[in-house]
Amino acid sequence: MKEVTIDNRKIGTGYEPFVIAEMSGNHNQSLERALEIVEAAAEAGADALKIQTYTADTMTLEVEKGDFVISDPNSPWANKSLYNLYQEAYTPWEWHQSIFDRCQELGMIAFSSPFDETAVDFLESLHVPCYKIASFECTDIQLIRKVARTKKPMIISTGMCTVAEIEETVQAAKEEGCKELILLKCTSTYPATPENSHIKTIPHMKELFQCPIGLSDHTLGSGVAVASVALGASVIEKHFTLSRQDGGVDAPFSLEPEEFHLLVQETKRAWQAMGQVQYGPTKAEHQSKKYRRSIYVTENVKKGEPLTRDNIRVIRPGFGLAPKYYEMCLGKTVNQPIEKGTPLSWDFI
């Protein structure tokens, strides 16, 4: 399985999970808050911070009726027009350099999701190390080709996509010269539920597309992300906020700093626990073998006396004969005196 390198960070099943904090619109139109989010993400252990590059005008039309209004009553953005939502959520382009510089100062990789070709040109001027394609843009082949021509690594979310659509996207990226590609399993509901996450798809995607696979996770908590690592996910992307109580377009399904720190720790532990197929004691377990049960002499036995249920037992520790020999030893006479508390050995029989 080919690994991917982003800004000297190797990503693949042989490496710790690459954890991305997604700021999205949780800056609430404050650059000061945006920079505080960067600092909190770094302190929480994020490997990277991602923003989004668009304007309301590059996303949609300024129309506040019909198809341009979110009608789903269960949506966190119910009854908002698309234009007003994107106007509220977008990250001003003049902020990008300050955000990226702060990430670099704190040792985090910084990049963005472009939503049209002008965004790609802008991000190229900032020398981003890679690109993320959002699920809703996964089938925008024109955008995929534009990003792929940069020859930089691409991370593509696949929410809602059929296998055929993913294949078309991957093929387009490769045709334009993308050699380093990561696909993310994603459920494009906000928030998503564990029941709708279907992370068993991760090893299947890995087999189909022969590239690192990750998870763009919109569920609450870290359980789904941890489980995905156990199934082979190499990347975890999670929305991040300073406080859900402060509001923000994505706040309801974002993790707060302490929760994100726990996510980083637990996904790392899940990766460490994967190991390899292992039977028998590990090196660390060898000292524990002495606490197994074994056969011990439990009463003083004279030379020539038989071993009986009254003078041998299977107890801890494990320095005597294995328990499986207990019945075989019963009735055997001993060739020397044995003191109570002696581990039984064939040398005594």
Side-chain angles (χ1 to χ4, degrees):
M1 192 67 61
K2 186 179 178 182
E3 64 187 34
V4 170
T5 302
I6 298 176
D7 205 15
N8 296 319
R9 171 63 152 85
K10 294 187 181 298
I11 301 168
T13 53
Y15 304 93
E16 293 179 359
F18 183 68
V19 183
I20 304 167
E22 163 68 87
M23 183 188 300
S24 187
N26 287 330
H27 46 65
N28 296 348
Q29 291 304 309
S30 164
L31 176 57
E32 181 181 1
R33 182 181 175 88
L35 296 177
E36 287 176 358
I37 288 174
V38 170
E39 292 166 3
E43 188 173 348
D47 296 294
L49 181 126
K50 189 187 80 67
I51 59 177
Q52 299 177 349
T53 307
Y54 64 83
T55 67
D57 291 302
T58 64
M59 291 288 273
T60 190
L61 300 177
E62 191 173 2
V63 176
E64 297 190 21
K65 62 181 180 180
D67 295 343
F68 296 88
V69 174
I70 299 170
S71 58
D72 180 1
N74 296 316
S75 170
W77 313 297
N79 301 317
K80 284 191 176 184
S81 74
L82 294 177
Y83 190 90
N84 288 338
L85 174 63
Y86 300 137
Q87 189 73 21
E88 179 185 349
Y90 93 110
T91 301
W93 292 22
E94 60 269 22
W95 294 5
H96 282 47
Q97 188 68 66
S98 296
I99 292 171
F100 290 170
D101 287 348
R102 192 71 184 110
C103 287
Q104 186 174 19
E105 290 169 7
L106 295 171
M108 277 193 304
I109 296 170
F111 60 101
S112 185
S113 290
F115 287 80
D116 79 321
E117 295 191 29
T118 65
V120 179
D121 291 335
F122 173 68
L123 290 169
E124 277 297 282
S125 75
L126 300 181
H127 308 292
V128 293
C130 64
Y131 286 91
K132 161 73 191 301
I133 302 296
S135 286
F136 290 85
E137 275 59 47
C138 185
T139 57
D140 185 349
I141 298 301
Q142 184 177 354
L143 177 63
I144 298 297
R145 290 186 179 278
K146 172 77 171 181
V147 172
R149 283 195 289 271
T150 69
K151 304 297 191 290
K152 292 178 179 177
M154 295 178 68
I155 303 172
I156 303 177
S157 275
T158 62
M160 304 171 290
C161 285
T162 65
V163 171
E165 288 172 333
I166 299 172
E167 176 58 34
E168 289 172 354
T169 295
V170 169
Q171 188 62 33
K174 289 182 176 179
E175 286 173 358
E176 298 296 338
C178 177
K179 297 186 182 301
E180 294 190 285
L181 179 66
I182 297 168
L183 297 176
L184 303 185
K185 174 70 180 76
C186 178
T187 301
S188 295
T189 55
Y190 306 90
T193 64
E195 294 83 356
N196 282 329
S197 296
H198 301 295
I199 59 174
K200 281 187 177 180
T201 310
I202 289 170
H204 190 259
M205 287 176 69
K206 188 183 294 187
E207 181 67 25
L208 279 181
F209 297 105
Q210 294 295 302
C211 68
I213 306 296
L215 177 72
S216 181
D217 184 22
H218 301 136
T219 63
L220 303 176
S222 58
V224 173
V226 170
S228 75
V229 171
L231 289 172
S234 300
V235 175
I236 300 296
E237 181 187 57
K238 200 82 164 165
H239 281 71
F240 183 78
T241 187
L242 296 177
S243 170
R244 284 188 290 273
Q245 288 187 341
D246 292 346
V249 293
D250 296 332
F253 50 90
S254 298
L255 294 188
E256 296 178 351
E258 288 187 8
E259 296 167 330
F260 200 92
H261 180 59
L262 182 64
L263 170 81
V264 171
Q265 288 183 314
E266 294 304 317
T267 52
K268 187 176 185 177
R269 287 183 181 127
W271 175 79
Q272 291 169 334
M274 290 286 290
Q276 60 190 5
V277 177
Q278 166 71 37
Y279 295 100
T282 63
K283 185 177 181 180
E285 289 176 307
H286 274 296
Q287 288 297 315
S288 298
K289 286 183 70 177
K290 64 186 177 184
Y291 298 113
R292 282 179 163 182
R293 286 177 175 263
S294 67
I295 306 173
Y296 266 75
V297 175
T298 57
E299 298 291 342
N300 293 334
V301 181
K302 297 178 181 178
K303 180 179 178 179
E305 286 187 346
L307 298 173
T308 70
R309 296 184 187 276
D310 294 324
N311 57 28
I312 61 171
R313 285 174 54 201
V314 174
I315 58 171
R316 292 185 183 186
F319 297 107
L321 292 174
K324 64 183 178 180
Y325 298 117
Y326 182 75
E327 298 291 339
M328 186 183 300
C329 290
L330 291 175
K332 298 289 193 299
T333 56
V334 300
N335 56 24
Q336 57 188 288
I338 310 175
E339 185 179 349
K340 175 182 177 179
T342 302
L344 190 62
S345 161
W346 293 121
D347 294 336
F348 297 138
I349 298 174

